[in-house]
Amino acid sequence: MSDQMTAGAGAPVPKKRRRRRHSQWTGLIHVLPALALVTVFFIVPLGMTVWMSLHKWPLMGLPRFIGLDNYERLLFDKSFWSSLWFTVQYTVVVTIALLGFAMALALIVQGQGRAVSAYRTIYFLPVVTGFASAALLWVWLSNVDTGLFSPLAQDLGLTEGRVNILANFTPAFWSVIVMVVWKMAGFFMVILMSGLQSIPADYQEAARIDGAKWLQRFRYITMPLIRKPFALALILCVSGSMLAFDQFYIILSGGPQNKTVTAVYKIFNESFVSFRLGYGAALSMVLLVILLVLSVLQLTLLSDRKDK
Amino acid sequence: MKLKALLGGAAIAAIALPGLAQAETFSLWVRSDGSEFMPKLVDAFNAKNEDKAELQIVPVNELVQKYAIAAAGGSEPDALSLDLIYTPSFAQAGQLKELTEFAKSLPYYDNLSKAHLSVGAYDGRIYGMPFSADASVLVWNKNLFEEAGLDPDKAPTNWAEIREDAEAVAALGDDTYGFYFSGNCGGCNIFTFMPLVWASGGALFEDEGAKATVTTPQMKDAIEFYRGMVEDGLVPAGSQTDSGSNFFAAFAGGNIGITPSGSFAIGALNNQYPDLEYGVTYLPGKDGGWSSFAGGDNIVVSAKTEDSKMPAIQAFIEFAYSPEGQKILAQNGSLPVRDDVAEQALEGLDARYMIAAEAMAKGKTPYSPVFNDLINSLNGPWVTMLNRAFYADSAAEVDEAMEEAQDEMQSIIDASR
């Protein structure tokens, strides 16, 4: 490349080469803005986080280099590992619930027609609400003295007296799951729906003529053909859930008795409540590595084998 | 807007000649809890003096972070009115200028709030001086007391009496309750629950915050006192998950007989709920006596503030301590911090403020450089223990919660040293 540049000054350049060089430059120019953004907003902060994680870095006062002490400390930090374990449990439950529900919605609204597009809109609406506002709505609905859930449970005969659903782990946990499914199902429905619509109608028709039942068609035609959008939905759902914070912070504040502190919540507490920024950075790095491994794992497992 | 202010400041600095006595402008931050009284005090000071204070109000939950970020970038305010419990941690971090000499030179030094000064000190030197004050008290609903056949003017003076009164009020009906507290709020309970323990002879910290003393009989008794009322349905179910949002609103709703609260409630109830008849009394100990949490703000000066600004800042502090300044504070929701002019400052105001002022004068403030970690954090050991113990099914569970909190608090304290 550099040879070409020096030799090429003034001398006529063969047409073919010039075109190739031209396209290289345009390529670079096109990715430059993205490259700059990635550098400024991802690579530099990442580097800073790594640097920070090697320090005792209080919010006020001077940072002190301590090498790998933060990482050594986190190995024995029970509350971090239990928050991570809780996050994993939450991710498994919410992913199954969310993708199952989104799949059902997508199957309902994949067709055409006026009513169908109205349903699509309705299912998608909660997605545009912010997590914070949705969570606040949930707090209000769950309030035992003034909310709606408690009297509803009473009217349905589920409980005898008033019930404070956020006061015990199991109902509190499931109420967050329900909230997240309500809020996010529409988003994953759209992804899965686009996959469903890309399946040529003749495949299903041919199978139907061959006498395949609905379940068989779903198992042998629909699922294999929406593998890619499904993989996308799965990765988004898993990585999003592993980073869960707002819903647990706003609805439960980590309660009852700190049983619902997620990994990000723990990082938040270390960094901005206890002001141990260096330690918070070290925890973030661990979470980042776990997320990387999870994403690579999912991609490998779900990628289309024919592509390789 | 900010740029303009900066340019303006630079211009003033450029015009002023060195060596001449000149008017100084210093920047001053206050947490949003002070948004009533602080602007009025600053306006009065600025109108009277050559020196000017430039006020910025910071949301209460962001103050520490905001200050730290500003300090890292060298743009911290010259002075700051800070939640008093943070003074030790700011001083420990080397952020504050020492004010010992100035404080002791004031003729009324001995009349300044002892509680504020106790947390304003670090390593034997004074870094924070009393500024605004808020004491915890017990309030009761006179309308409900009357309906329940109790004497509406007779305040409960020990735990047994609180319990009896609460039972009588709760007997009124389904939606009326005897007692309320925010069961999942560390800050609310250090303010209103801890005085019950203090008044009975217990303490939470010893040795300037070096030792946690959670597992005392007094603490256990106080927890059992609350737990008993929860168990018998005298407290609304919502208290278990209330992380502070209902701290004031529950009583204001008019269906709660008795609740511990703060002096701030007097102004708020008078303004917003004029129909509610209520009384204010001290937070009693198990068998009588009383105590209070002395809350509010200390005023502190940033370590990097130029010495040339000190006279202006001192003038402002002295103005706040003057009878006029104390009156402005008292009329706008803060108790006086100078007890020799307290009566004068409170003259003409609701008589119930006098009770709060007296509570304030004898009030205590726990001392800890890691207060946020231990007490205010939503997931800290203090609130975790209380939430578990108040709603525990058995006495054994209470003991377990207390022992765990003792261990965790001590380990947080040890790790910070």
Side-chain angles (χ1 to χ4, degrees):
Chain A
M1 175 80 190
S2 61
D3 280 355
Q4 277 175 31
M5 299 281 278
T6 42
V13 179
K15 231 181 184 173
K16 207 177 167 189
R17 271 199 182 167
R18 191 198 288 160
R19 193 183 298 142
R20 207 181 68 202
R21 202 167 70 195
H22 172 79
S23 69
Q24 277 171 346
W25 279 111
T26 34
L28 187 62
I29 288 167
H30 276 112
V31 297
L32 211 57
L35 202 66
L37 283 177
V38 168
T39 311
V40 172
F41 292 109
F42 183 70
I43 298 181
V44 172
L46 184 66
M48 280 164 67
T49 310
V50 174
W51 179 238
M52 232 172 168
S53 73
L54 301 175
H55 288 73
K56 187 185 169 92
W57 197 304
L59 190 69
M60 285 182 287
L62 294 175
R64 187 160 55 87
F65 188 80
I66 53 167
L68 292 174
D69 282 11
N70 281 329
Y71 291 93
E72 198 187 311
R73 174 176 173 181
L74 75 82
L75 285 180
F76 304 102
D77 186 347
K78 261 190 266 163
S79 65
F80 174 63
W81 296 110
S82 68
S83 72
L84 200 62
W85 175 232
F86 171 71
T87 314
V88 170
Q89 288 172 309
Y90 164 75
T91 301
V92 170
V93 174
V94 86
T95 303
I96 294 172
L98 198 47
L99 293 189
F101 197 69
M103 190 56 156
L105 289 184
L107 288 169
I108 293 171
V109 300
Q110 64 168 320
Q112 303 292 326
R114 207 181 298 164
V116 163
S117 68
Y119 280 130
R120 278 183 202 163
T121 315
I122 292 167
Y123 297 150
F124 191 74
L125 264 179
V127 177
V128 295
T129 334
F131 245 121
S133 7
L136 275 176
L137 179 73
W138 224 248
V139 170
W140 175 66
L141 289 170
S142 316
N143 187 303
V144 56
D145 297 317
T146 53
L148 278 180
F149 291 157
S150 175
L152 194 69
Q154 229 171 319
D155 290 348
L156 291 174
L158 296 173
T159 55
E160 272 184 27
R162 284 186 180 175
V163 55
N164 192 346
I165 57 166
L166 301 184
N168 291 301
F169 176 77
T170 312
F173 177 72
W174 282 100
S175 100
V176 172
I177 299 278
V178 170
M179 193 281 276
V180 173
V181 170
W182 164 76
K183 156 127 181 57
M184 290 307 292
F187 176 75
F188 292 106
M189 171 194 81
V190 170
I191 297 179
L192 296 175
M193 196 176 72
S194 71
L196 289 176
Q197 284 172 341
S198 69
I199 301 174
D202 3 348
Y203 287 20
Q204 299 278 12
E205 215 172 287
R208 208 175 289 137
I209 291 167
D210 287 347
K213 299 266 178 340
W214 184 88
L215 206 64
Q216 287 169 313
R217 295 203 306 274
F218 181 74
R219 166 79 182 78
Y220 295 107
I221 298 177
T222 313
M223 279 316 282
L225 285 173
I226 63 161
R227 195 182 188 121
K228 275 188 175 171
F230 190 80
L232 174 69
L234 187 66
I235 288 174
L236 285 176
C237 189
V238 168
S239 49
S241 308
M242 287 298 290
L243 295 174
F245 169 70
D246 343 23
Q247 60 270 46
F248 288 103
Y249 179 70
I250 295 172
I251 300 179
L252 299 173
S253 318
Q257 279 101 49
N258 294 348
K259 286 177 194 148
T260 60
V261 175
T262 62
V264 175
Y265 195 170
K266 166 79 181 164
I267 293 171
F268 170 85
N269 273 343
E270 286 295 337
S271 305
F272 302 113
V273 178
S274 306
F275 306 135
R276 290 188 278 264
L277 299 180
Y279 188 54
L283 298 182
S284 311
M285 292 313 299
V286 172
L287 188 61
L288 178 75
V289 171
I290 291 172
L291 272 179
L292 265 178
V293 171
L294 271 179
S295 301
V296 170
L297 217 68
Q298 291 176 80
L299 274 173
T300 337
L301 286 176
L302 281 162
S303 66
D304 209 330
R305 279 172 206 109
K306 272 175 273 171
D307 283 357
K308 282 184 183 169
Chain B
M1 198 55 202
K2 224 176 191 172
L3 186 69
K4 235 182 188 172
L6 271 173
L7 288 173
I12 290 169
I15 291 165
L17 293 168
L20 287 175
Q22 62 192 54
E24 278 285 354
T25 300
F26 69 94
S27 54
L28 171 69
W29 283 10
V30 65
R31 59 169 169 154
S32 47
D33 295 27
S35 58
E36 276 291 316
F37 55 78
M38 198 57 141
K40 292 187 177 116
L41 191 72
V42 166
D43 286 346
F45 172 78
N46 287 350
K48 272 189 131 174
N49 287 272
E50 292 272 287
D51 300 325
K52 304 281 181 249
E54 209 172 56
L55 180 66
Q56 189 182 339
I57 295 170
V58 181
V60 56
N61 293 325
E62 292 165 27
L63 187 115
V64 180
Q65 289 93 321
K66 245 190 125 151
Y67 182 88
I69 292 162
S75 61
E76 68 269 47
D78 297 317
L80 164 71
S81 167
L82 176 74
D83 187 339
L84 78 175
I85 53 108
Y86 288 121
T87 335
S89 79
F90 272 58
Q92 190 183 45
Q95 293 292 323
L96 305 181
K97 222 184 185 74
E98 196 192 326
L99 300 170
T100 316
E101 225 176 286
F102 166 63
K104 294 207 166 149
S105 75
L106 297 171
Y108 41 81
Y109 172 73
D110 289 333
N111 299 103
L112 293 176
S113 162
K114 298 274 177 301
H116 283 71
L117 283 170
S118 75
V119 282
Y122 184 75
D123 249 358
R125 286 182 286 241
I126 297 172
Y127 290 91
M129 297 175 68
F131 193 75
S132 63
D134 202 349
S136 48
V137 289
L138 191 70
V139 297
W140 78 94
N141 184 322
K142 291 190 177 180
N143 310 75
L144 291 179
F145 265 50
E146 199 152 24
E147 260 181 75
L150 300 167
D151 178 357
D153 293 317
K154 190 183 167 295
T157 58
N158 58 39
W159 297 355
E161 284 179 29
I162 292 180
R163 168 93 205 201
E164 276 165 34
D165 293 348
E167 275 172 5
V169 171
L172 285 173
D174 264 356
D175 281 323
T176 312
Y177 294 91
F179 197 76
Y180 191 83
F181 58 90
S182 297
N184 200 22
C185 171
C188 314
N189 283 303
I190 195 76
F191 189 58
T192 57
F193 173 75
M194 202 54 214
L196 303 177
V197 180
W198 287 333
S200 313
L204 186 55
F205 301 119
E206 278 172 12
D207 299 342
E208 295 226 311
K211 211 175 136 214
T213 52
V214 179
T215 42
T216 60
Q218 290 91 345
M219 181 78 77
K220 167 114 181 166
D221 284 351
I223 288 174
E224 287 293 353
F225 167 49
Y226 268 32
R227 186 167 84 97
M229 288 196 286
V230 170
E231 227 164 21
D232 295 346
L234 305 181
V235 182
S239 92
Q240 191 172 358
T241 46
D242 177 9
S243 50
S245 53
N246 228 1
F247 181 53
F248 167 74
F251 182 79
N255 62 337
I256 304 288
I258 307 170
T259 193
S261 192
S263 48
F264 71 90
I266 302 173
L269 286 171
N270 290 352
N271 291 336
Q272 300 165 34
Y273 303 88
D275 295 336
L276 197 74
E277 295 280 332
Y278 67 96
V280 173
T281 187
Y282 307 112
L283 288 165
K286 187 179 184 185
D287 307 308
W290 57 269
S291 188
S292 178
F293 186 107
D297 281 11
N298 268 338
I299 190 160
V300 298
V301 178
S302 299
K304 284 189 217 139
T305 301
E306 294 155 40
D307 285 334
S308 62
K309 294 193 174 177
M310 286 313 288
I313 294 171
Q314 289 169 358
F316 178 74
I317 296 175
E318 285 181 70
F319 176 72
Y321 288 157
S322 70
E324 187 191 350
Q326 291 290 293
K327 186 143 202 155
I328 294 175
L329 286 167
Q331 280 169 340
N332 294 288
S334 162
L335 293 173
V337 286
R338 202 183 132 184
D339 60 21
D340 57 333
V341 293
E343 222 165 311
Q344 194 187 340
L346 291 167
E347 210 184 288
L349 293 177
D350 192 318
R352 288 171 286 207
Y353 276 114
M354 269 319 288
I355 291 175
E358 206 161 309
M360 177 69 221
K362 273 211 237 166
K364 290 188 189 187
T365 314
Y367 188 98
S368 170
V370 280
F371 194 91
N372 212 31
D373 246 353
L374 299 175
I375 309 292
N376 277 353
S377 161
L378 288 172
N379 311 103
W382 168 247
V383 69
T384 304
M385 166 184 83
L386 293 182
N387 190 256
R388 205 168 141 203
F390 287 160
Y391 307 91
D393 292 325
S394 67
E397 209 181 326
V398 174
D399 289 333
E400 203 183 309
M402 287 175 70
E403 271 152 33
E404 269 174 33
Q406 169 68 35
D407 290 348
E408 208 187 327
M409 279 198 186
Q410 195 58 51
S411 78
I412 291 176
I413 293 169
D414 293 343
S416 76
R417 280 169 181 259

